[in-house]
Amino acid sequence: MKSKKQATSVNRSENSKKIDLDLDSVNDASTLLTTNQGVKINDDQNSLKAGPRGATLLEDFILREKITHFDHERIPERIVHARGSAAHGIFKLYKTQSKYTKASFLTDTSVETPVFVRFSTVAGSRGSTDLARDVRGFAVKFYTQEGNFDLVGNNMPVFFIQDAIKFPDLVHAVKPEPHNEIPQAASAHDTFWDFISLMPESAHMIMWLMSDRAIPRSYRMMEGFGVHTFRLINEKGAAHFVKFHWKPLLGVHSLAWDEAQKISGKDPDFHRRDLWESIENRNFPEWELGLQIIPEIDEHKYSFDLLDPTKLVPEELVPVQRVGKLTLNRNPENFFAETEQVAFHVGHIVPGIDFTNDPLLQGRLFSYTDTQLIRLGGPNFHEIPINRPIVPVHNNQRDGFMRQTINKGRTSYHPNSLGGGCPFQASMKEGGFTSYAEKIDAHKVRERSKSFFDHFTQAGLFYNSQSEPEKQHIVDAFSFELGKVETISIRERMLGIISLINKTLATEVGYKLGLKVPIPEKPINKSIPADGVEKDFQPIESKPEIEIAASLSMANTVKDTIKSRVIAFLAADGVNEQAIAGMKKILEENGAKVDIIAPRLGRIQGAGKKEILVNQSFFTAASVLYDAVYVPGGDQHIATLAADPDAIHFLNEAFRHCKAIAFEIDSKPLLKLTYFGKKLTSNKKEDGLISSEKQQDIRKEFIKAISRHRFWEREKPRKIPA
Ligand code: HDE
C-alpha cells in the first residue's frame, strides 16, 4: 500500500503507460483494482465465456458485480429540491445566547461548529437549470456537540400553504404536467396557476415568487429563513419564540429575468459553478445568523398569527439580532456521497430548540424521515458519512438495509441487566432532550384558526415596500407567467386574486394580458368548527402595524463591495495594455475577478507589443455571465471589435441588463454602434456608464458603480433591444 500523497500509477498492466496522479483522487486503501469484496481483479477487459466465441457465463461474479452496481448508480432524486449544490463550512457564535437557549452551539463562543449547507431549486429535476424562477432551498446541517441540528429553510420567509395536508397538491401542481411532462423547472403553466388561483392563502408567497428574489445573482447573495416560528428553551426551561434568518454579507442581489433565461442556455450550472469557484478562489461565502426573539407573552400581540407560515414578522417590529457567522470554506470531495446523500430533517433538533404548533411544520416532521427511507434505501441513512453526527451514537436500533455499524454484545433492548443496563437514559443535567411542556387542552378537530384567514394584508405590505423597478419586475413576472397559461379563465381568476392584493398591480398585469380585471371570486376558507357544522369563513382583513417595511426591498441591501464580482474586459490585438493592467490591478485589489474576452482564445498583442493572455472568447463567454464590462482603448483593437457583431451584442446586452460599463475615450467608434452609444453624444449623464472623458477617475467610479450591482432605472423607457 502506498501513502496517500505519494504519486503512483493507477494501472499496473504491463504495456500500459504510467500516469502520475495526486493520490487525493485515488482510493487510498489499495492501488490495485479489486471487487467490492476486496478481491484483486486480474482482467477487467473480458467477461468470462465458454470459449472465446462462446456464451458469457453466469458464474462471472466480477462482471455481475460491476454491472449490478452500475445499474443502481442512480437513486430516486428528491421529490422536491432535486437540483442542489452544497459546501462545508463552520459556524462561529459572536455572543452567548444563554438568556434564550441552552443549545451549546448558541451559548459557547469558544466552539466552531462544523456545518454542511445545501442550496437548491424546488421544482426542477436534478439536471435542470439553476436559473429557474423558483424558491431556493437553504438547508444547514450543524454538527453540534449535542447532536445534529438541521435548519431546513428557504430564501423566502413565507410559504405557499398553511397546512401540510396541501403540500402534495402544491407540488403536483407545480411539477411538469402529468400528461406530457412539460414544462421543466417552471411554474409558468396551467396546473400551477389553477391551484394558486384557488388557494388565496398563497397570495403572500406568490408576491415573493414573482419578485426578483426568485432569480438570485448567486447563492452567496441570498437571505435564508427558517420560515416557521420555533422555540428557544433556556437552562431554566423558559421559552421564547424565535424566527431564524441568514443575512449574506455580500448583500441580497438578483438578476434580470431576461438574463436568467439566457443563462439557462449559456451556463445552466451558473449558481453551482459560482459557489464552487468562489470557494476554490477562497472568496468564502458568509452569512450572519439572525434571531428574531419574541417573548411567549407576546404570542397574540400581532395582527398576524405567529403559527401561520404564510406570514413574516417584519424586522421593523422585531429587530433581527445577528448572533454568529457562517462561513463556507470547503467544497465537497464527491457530489454523490455528500451533496446527494445528505439527508436533512426539520425534526433534527438539539436541547435548547423546540417546535411550535405551526401545522406546516408539524407535517414536515413526518415527511423528512419518510422521504429518506425511499430515497436512501432504508432506515440506516444516518450512518452515511455526511449524515453522521460528530458525537457518538448509542442505542438499541439494529439491522435493516445497508447497516454499517457492527453492534457488539447480546443486548439490544432496554432495560437490560446482561449489558450492564447500557446505554443509559441521559438526565437533563447530562444533556438529555426534553420536550417543552406546552399546555394543550382542546377538542380534536380538522379546523384552521380564524387568525390564519388574512391572506392579503402582508402580500400588499410586500408590494408596497418594493422600489419602483422592483414593482415593475413583479408586473413583468406575472405577465410572463400568466401569459404562458393557456386557460383564459385561470388567468382571469388569478387577476381577481391580484386585485385583492393591489389594484394598480392587477390593472398593469391585466393590461399586459389584454384582460379586464374581473370582480374577484370571493375566496372561501372551508372549515368544520368544533360544533361539527360546516362553515365558510370569509377572509379577514387585519390592520397591519406598518404600511411599509424597508427591510423587504433589495434596494436597501448592502451596496458597498465588489468582492467576488466577475468583470468582462473586451479586447483585441492593438489594445492599450496599460489601461488593461491598471484597471485589472485595482479591481483585483478590491476582490473582483477579471476575464479578458477577445475574438479568439490564446494571446493577443497589445499596442505596445506586450502579449496578453485571453481567458474567454466571444464563442465561450456571454455578457449575461458577467457583472460589469470594461472597454479599454487602442485604435486597432476598437476597429476589430467594431467589426464584430458579437462584441456589439455583448455591450448592448450588458446595457439592457442594467450593468455598469466603463470605457476609455478612444473606444467611442465602437460604442457609437451600440444602442446606448447614442446617449453618449448627449451631455445627459447615464448612471452606470463611466467614461474617461466624463469622469475624473474612471477606475474609482467604475468600482462604485459595480458595487451598486445594477442600474434598474435604466429600464425606463423599456424598449431596449438585445
Ligand atoms: Fe421541504 N421537503 N417540505 N420545505 N424542503 C423536502 O425532503 C416537505 C417546506 C425544504 O437540500 C423533502 O429530503 C413537506 C418548507 C428544503 O436536501 C421532503 C412540506 C420549507 C429541502 C419535503 C415542506 C422546506 C426540502 C424532499 C410541507 C422551508 C431540501 C427531499 C409540510 C422552510 C433539503 C427531502 C435538501 C426537502 C417535504 C415544506 C424546505 C419531501 C411535506 C415550508 C430546503 O421530505
Side-chain angles (χ1 to χ4, degrees):
M1 198 194 302
K2 302 207 171 184
S3 76
K4 199 170 180 199
K5 282 283 169 194
Q6 218 176 327
T8 189
S9 105
V10 265
N11 191 329
R12 293 290 205 82
S13 123
E14 296 264 297
N15 330 332
S16 69
K17 212 169 125 203
K18 290 201 170 185
I19 310 161
D20 279 342
L21 283 185
D22 176 345
L23 261 188
D24 269 353
S25 59
V26 176
N27 185 339
D28 60 347
S30 164
T31 55
L32 297 179
L33 191 64
T34 73
T35 67
N36 284 334
Q37 302 306 312
V39 176
K40 290 171 197 150
I41 296 174
N42 172 258
D43 185 344
D44 188 44
Q45 317 305 321
N46 302 294
S47 53
L48 189 66
K49 296 181 205 78
R53 299 184 61 249
T56 306
L57 297 179
L58 190 59
E59 182 193 310
D60 188 351
F61 67 96
I62 296 177
L63 170 73
R64 277 190 289 119
E65 182 195 80
K66 189 173 178 182
I67 299 283
T68 307
H69 196 278
F70 169 76
D71 290 348
H72 294 260
E73 267 176 15
R74 298 287 175 275
I75 61 173
E77 64 175 31
R78 288 164 170 83
I79 167 73
V80 282
H81 297 267
R83 168 79 186 172
S85 307
H88 294 270
I90 50 157
F91 173 73
K92 192 96 176 59
L93 188 69
Y94 294 150
K95 193 176 154 227
T96 182
Q97 299 302 308
S98 57
K99 188 173 163 201
Y100 305 116
T101 179
K102 60 183 174 187
S104 68
F105 80 104
L106 290 176
T107 54
D108 186 347
T109 51
S110 69
V111 175
E112 266 189 6
T113 305
V115 296
F116 188 67
V117 181
R118 184 174 181 272
F119 304 104
S120 48
T121 54
V122 178
S125 55
R126 248 188 81 175
S128 60
T129 172
D130 282 340
L131 280 299
R133 172 177 291 284
D134 201 350
V135 189
R136 298 299 185 287
F138 193 134
V140 182
K141 192 179 281 294
F142 295 82
Y143 303 89
T144 87
Q145 301 190 340
E146 294 165 308
N148 288 351
F149 167 55
D150 292 354
L151 185 51
V152 198
N154 279 342
N155 75 329
M156 299 179 188
V158 290
F159 203 64
F160 298 91
I161 48 171
Q162 295 174 323
D163 192 309
I165 203 165
K166 298 310 297 168
F167 191 65
D169 300 281
L170 167 72
V171 175
H172 288 172
V174 73
K175 282 273 177 183
E177 299 195 4
H179 59 309
N180 58 10
E181 184 84 359
I182 297 175
Q184 180 54 246
S187 51
H189 59 111
D190 286 46
T191 56
F192 179 70
W193 289 101
D194 186 25
F195 177 77
I196 293 298
S197 61
L198 294 167
M199 290 290 287
E201 70 201 51
S202 64
H204 187 192
M205 179 63 165
I206 284 302
M207 294 303 290
W208 283 81
L209 190 68
M210 293 301 107
S211 81
D212 293 346
R213 300 271 182 154
I215 38 172
R217 155 66 180 84
S218 156
Y219 288 139
R220 303 173 294 117
M221 298 169 201
M222 304 189 311
E223 283 182 296
F225 304 90
V227 175
H228 314 281
T229 302
F230 288 83
R231 278 194 170 88
L232 293 180
I233 315 291
N234 68 15
E235 227 19 282
K236 293 188 185 127
H240 285 82
F241 291 113
V242 65
K243 290 270 192 193
F244 292 107
H245 295 247
W246 290 112
K247 298 284 188 189
L249 294 193
L250 294 178
V252 194
H253 300 289
S254 286
L255 301 165
W257 177 227
D258 177 69
E259 188 183 16
Q261 292 177 87
K262 288 172 176 165
I263 298 175
S264 287
K266 298 276 182 188
D267 185 7
D269 302 308
F270 186 69
H271 286 152
R272 178 175 288 181
R273 192 185 307 282
D274 168 275
L275 181 67
W276 180 274
E277 286 182 353
S278 306
I279 294 173
E280 291 299 296
N281 296 335
R282 302 186 67 77
N283 265 324
F284 297 142
E286 294 171 318
W287 289 260
E288 283 177 321
L289 177 68
L291 303 180
Q292 274 180 306
I293 307 269
I294 301 153
E296 287 244 298
I297 198 165
D298 287 348
E299 180 170 0
H300 302 293
K301 177 175 164 185
Y302 300 104
S303 61
F304 47 87
D305 196 325
L306 290 175
L307 302 187
D308 174 357
T310 66
K311 306 298 181 301
L312 53 83
V313 181
E315 292 183 29
E316 288 71 8
L317 297 185
V318 180
V320 174
Q321 304 172 33
R322 298 178 180 225
V323 303
K325 191 160 84 176
L326 163 72
T327 307
L328 297 182
N329 54 16
R330 183 161 60 89
N331 277 316
E333 299 284 337
N334 182 289
F335 185 90
F336 181 83
E338 300 175 85
T339 310
E340 197 58 23
Q341 288 199 317
V342 65
F344 292 96
H345 182 7
V346 74
H348 290 164
I349 54 168
V350 290
I353 298 178
D354 215 326
F355 312 117
T356 60
N357 294 333
D358 172 340
L360 196 68
L361 172 59
Q362 294 285 320
R364 291 179 75 198
L365 292 176
F366 163 74
S367 178
Y368 287 72
T369 314
D370 187 44
T371 211
Q372 312 310 346
L373 289 176
I374 180 82
R375 200 169 71 78
L376 299 172
N380 290 315
F381 55 85
H382 60 284
E383 295 188 327
I384 298 173
I386 194 68
N387 295 325
R388 277 185 215 149
I390 54 171
V391 285
V393 172
H394 303 289
N395 61 41
N396 293 310
Q397 294 172 30
R398 291 291 184 275
D399 310 344
F401 282 118
M402 313 294 169
R403 185 67 174 180
Q404 308 289 308
T405 310
I406 302 175
N407 295 104
K408 296 186 184 139
R410 287 171 77 183
T411 54
S412 52
Y413 52 87
H414 182 269
N416 68 66
S417 66
L418 291 176
C422 290
F424 301 101
Q425 295 182 136
S427 67
M428 269 173 80
K429 253 201 174 144
E430 291 164 316
F433 183 88
T434 52
S435 287
Y436 178 65
E438 184 180 359
K439 188 168 182 298
I440 297 180
D441 175 18
H443 294 276
K444 231 190 254 179
V445 289
R446 285 190 188 276
E447 202 178 315
R448 221 172 272 195
S449 166
K450 210 170 172 205
S451 54
F452 278 40
F453 284 1
D454 175 3
H455 305 312
F456 303 113
T457 305
Q458 282 208 349
L461 173 69
F462 179 78
Y463 187 68
N464 292 335
S465 305
Q466 303 301 296
S467 64
E468 279 311 311
E470 284 173 311
K471 283 183 177 164
Q472 186 58 52
H473 292 173
I474 293 174
V475 173
D476 293 350
F478 271 120
S479 309
F480 174 91
E481 294 266 321
L482 295 175
K484 296 274 182 183
V485 168
E486 289 163 2
T487 312
I488 303 298
S489 59
I490 296 176
R491 289 185 187 170
E492 283 173 337
R493 191 165 58 224
M494 195 58 221
L495 213 46
I497 294 276
I498 300 173
S499 73
L500 295 170
I501 300 170
N502 186 291
K503 294 219 158 29
T504 319
L505 172 63
T507 312
E508 288 187 36
V509 176
Y511 173 76
K512 292 265 170 85
L513 294 176
L515 290 175
K516 274 217 171 91
V517 179
I519 305 211
E521 289 169 29
K522 275 258 153 75
I524 282 172
N525 299 286
K526 285 232 179 287
S527 201
I528 310 172
D531 60 11
V533 183
E534 186 168 333
K535 283 183 190 145
D536 291 340
F537 286 113
Q538 295 307 322
I540 54 168
E541 236 180 273
S542 43
K543 193 163 163 21
E545 289 81 358
I546 45 174
E547 301 291 332
I548 288 193
S551 57
L552 299 179
S553 166
M554 290 192 288
N556 304 321
T557 192
V558 176
K559 287 184 180 168
D560 60 2
T561 173
I562 65 164
K563 220 174 130 193
S564 84
R565 297 299 213 278
V566 194
I567 319 301
F569 281 24
L570 305 193
D573 288 324
V575 68
N576 178 337
E577 5 354 36
Q578 280 95 5
I580 291 212
M583 185 63 98
K584 188 166 187 283
K585 182 164 178 283
I586 192 160
L587 292 180
E588 287 177 348
E589 278 168 4
N590 281 273
K593 177 174 180 278
V594 167
D595 265 1
I596 311 260
I597 302 168
R600 59 171 166 77
L601 290 173
R603 286 172 191 276
I604 51 173
Q605 203 175 54
K609 303 288 176 227
K610 268 205 184 133
E611 296 226 313
I612 301 163
L613 183 71
V614 175
N615 304 105
Q616 301 282 344
S617 76
F618 289 121
F619 291 106
T620 60
S623 86
V624 291
L625 306 177
Y626 293 89
D627 290 293
V629 190
Y630 170 59
V631 188
D635 291 346
Q636 186 201 343
H637 131 92
I638 289 295
T640 309
L641 294 185
D644 189 333
D646 288 336
I648 296 164
H649 178 68
F650 200 104
L651 287 163
N652 276 339
E653 204 171 45
F655 181 80
R656 171 169 182 183
H657 297 145
C658 306
K659 296 174 182 175
I661 304 174
F663 46 92
E664 301 292 350
I665 176 157
D666 44 349
S667 55
K668 259 190 182 167
L670 166 65
L671 296 171
K672 258 205 255 158
L673 300 172
T674 64
Y675 167 78
F676 59 93
K678 294 168 210 141
K679 292 178 188 284
L680 304 176
T681 46
S682 77
N683 274 334
K684 201 175 142 266
K685 198 171 158 256
E686 174 84 27
D687 267 350
L689 288 187
I690 296 133
S691 146
S692 56
E693 181 185 23
K694 291 190 179 162
Q695 270 85 12
Q696 289 287 317
D697 186 342
I698 172 178
R699 293 174 190 162
K700 220 164 104 197
E701 290 294 321
F702 193 34
I703 287 173
K704 237 199 279 169
I706 301 168
S707 57
R708 291 253 326 256
H709 184 58
R710 298 295 165 95
F711 296 84
W712 297 121
E713 308 73 27
R714 203 186 278 167
E715 290 173 324
K716 280 196 162 186
R718 304 175 48 75
K719 294 272 177 292
I720 306 172

